[in-house]
Amino acid sequence: MFLSTTINGVDAKGRVSVPAGFRAVVKNDPEEKIYVWPSFEGGYLEGGGQALLDRYLNLLEEMDPYDDARAAFEQTIFGDTRGLAFDGTGRVTLPKDLIEHAGLDSKAAFVGLGSRFEIWNPDRLAERKANARDFARENKKSLRLPPRTGGGA
Amino acid sequence: MFLSTTINGVDAKGRVSVPAGFRAVVKNDPEEKIYVWPSFEGGYLEGGGQALLDRYLNLLEEMDPYDDARAAFEQTIFGDTRGLAFDGTGRVTLPKDLIEHAGLDSKAAFVGLGSRFEIWNPDRLAERKANARDFARENKKSLRLPPRTGGGA
DNA sequence: TTGTTTCCCATGCTGTCCCATGTTATCCCA
DNA sequence: TGGGATAACATGGGACAGCATGGGAAACAA
């Protein structure tokens, strides 16, 4: 499970250390890689392991083959997704276009979100985090825990 | 089940003994860890075991991948959650940012709340406790027993 | 050749592990 | 019921390994 937020340096070659905890998640994937694509919602990157890609694939399989939305999602998500392999010390090299999309300069923030993660310019992240926290606080009542199995109503 | 309140010392490295009773709760989790995040409601920490995290994860999985509310909660909960493993003597190391958020100096109070727990600076906790007691006294009339089923008028 | 990318080696640091010790609670026996 | 032995718990410090980072050499593409 991808957890917590870690800020690592991006060097002149576009290399960045993937947090050790994140590497551990994909450790047993057939291809030891992370998969990253530019978010179509904003200037940041989304990513995950093989399991996440499989889930998206299954979601799309259930849509109508000639649905316009399906084509759009396929194009947007899979079309721009890169599989990034680790070097000997656990780093990946981010392609230029991804770096530009996320507006990364010297630092990159890896944000764990359970089954997936995001990569942000730390400054942009701080902004969005404040918004998300306010939203969460105002809407916390909608985040109710489901009853525990076997537990009373 | 997390029960009762225990105050333990926090040393210069940020290490703190997790109360033995709390450790027993997560004893049989696949990863023997506690998961801790800064509360977005105030200056203290919230935490639980794998079971609690899974409940949040399942709840979010049921929401649409690009629902705004989902994004906000993912970011707020998982983005700041840390998985903390025990050392040989049952301690965890609290990261600096969590220590700061909770304003911990030399002591930390673990407060058991059933399925989850909180970690407080003991001074802040005493303050909140006093407030809660006052609130309870002023609102005691609203604490009514539900009518007994099948009972007479 | 020239620029780009990939691989490898070296280094500082932070977090983790291990060992030692005092204290408290519990259990057993008189 | 009281006292002592024992085990569990909490705490402190030091050693070590893993992690993040920087630079350079070799392989590849244009």
Side-chain angles (χ1 to χ4, degrees):
Chain A
M1 187 138 61
F2 299 104
L3 281 183
S4 125
T5 297
T6 308
I7 296 179
N8 283 337
V10 181
D11 66 18
K13 298 178 185 179
R15 293 183 303 183
V16 57
S17 282
V18 177
F22 286 28
R23 289 202 298 270
V25 175
V26 299
K27 188 92 179 185
N28 296 323
D29 285 1
E31 308 223 10
E32 210 169 315
K33 285 183 177 178
I34 56 171
Y35 299 88
V36 180
W37 64 93
S39 166
F40 60 75
E41 299 231 62
Y44 60 96
L45 310 178
E46 299 185 41
Q50 183 74 47
L52 182 69
L53 279 194
D54 291 344
R55 261 222 339 268
Y56 279 122
L57 197 57
N58 288 335
L59 275 181
L60 289 171
E61 293 294 337
E62 286 170 13
M63 296 175 75
D64 189 309
Y66 295 102
D67 184 334
D68 287 343
R70 168 176 175 150
F73 280 122
E74 281 178 337
Q75 187 82 31
T76 306
I77 297 181
F78 290 108
D80 292 327
T81 297
R82 309 286 181 82
L84 304 177
F86 304 114
D87 70 9
T89 63
R91 284 180 292 197
V92 296
T93 301
L94 294 172
K96 282 202 198 71
D97 56 323
L98 291 186
I99 289 184
E100 281 173 19
H101 181 87
L104 303 177
D105 45 15
S106 62
K107 296 281 178 187
F110 287 79
V111 183
L113 300 173
S115 57
R116 47 187 201 92
F117 62 85
E118 294 174 355
I119 302 176
W120 285 77
N121 175 315
D123 297 334
R124 290 187 186 173
L125 177 63
E127 206 175 305
R128 143 134 161 186
K129 211 182 207 173
N131 292 339
R133 203 176 42 230
D134 290 347
F135 185 93
R137 192 179 309 139
E138 286 164 17
N139 294 277
K140 66 178 178 182
K141 290 205 177 67
S142 67
L143 186 71
R144 293 212 178 280
L145 289 177
R148 271 172 288 177
T149 49
Chain B
M1 186 132 75
F2 300 104
L3 283 181
S4 140
T5 297
T6 309
I7 296 180
N8 283 338
V10 180
D11 67 18
K13 295 180 182 177
R15 293 183 303 184
V16 56
S17 281
V18 177
F22 286 28
R23 288 203 298 271
V25 175
V26 300
K27 188 90 178 187
N28 296 323
D29 285 359
E31 308 224 8
E32 210 170 315
K33 285 182 177 179
I34 57 171
Y35 298 89
V36 180
W37 63 94
S39 166
F40 58 81
E41 302 225 61
Y44 60 96
L45 310 178
E46 299 185 41
Q50 181 78 47
L52 182 67
L53 220 55
D54 286 344
R55 281 161 69 195
Y56 279 117
L57 193 61
N58 288 335
L59 190 59
L60 290 170
E61 293 294 336
E62 285 170 13
M63 302 172 79
D64 293 329
Y66 289 99
D67 182 327
D68 286 343
R70 169 177 175 148
F73 284 122
E74 277 182 334
Q75 182 100 28
T76 303
I77 297 177
F78 290 105
D80 291 323
T81 297
R82 303 291 232 286
L84 304 177
F86 304 112
D87 69 9
T89 63
R91 285 179 294 195
V92 297
T93 301
L94 294 172
K96 284 199 201 75
D97 55 323
L98 291 186
I99 289 183
E100 280 174 21
H101 181 88
L104 303 177
D105 45 16
S106 62
K107 296 281 178 187
F110 286 80
V111 183
L113 298 171
S115 61
R116 18 172 234 113
F117 61 85
E118 294 175 355
I119 302 176
W120 285 78
N121 175 316
D123 297 335
R124 288 188 186 174
L125 179 61
E127 206 176 305
R128 178 178 95 149
K129 242 181 191 165
N131 290 340
R133 203 174 45 231
D134 289 348
F135 183 90
R137 183 166 35 224
E138 287 164 16
N139 294 276
K140 62 181 177 185
K141 292 204 176 66
S142 66
L143 184 68
R144 294 197 182 285
L145 289 176
R148 272 175 286 183
T149 50

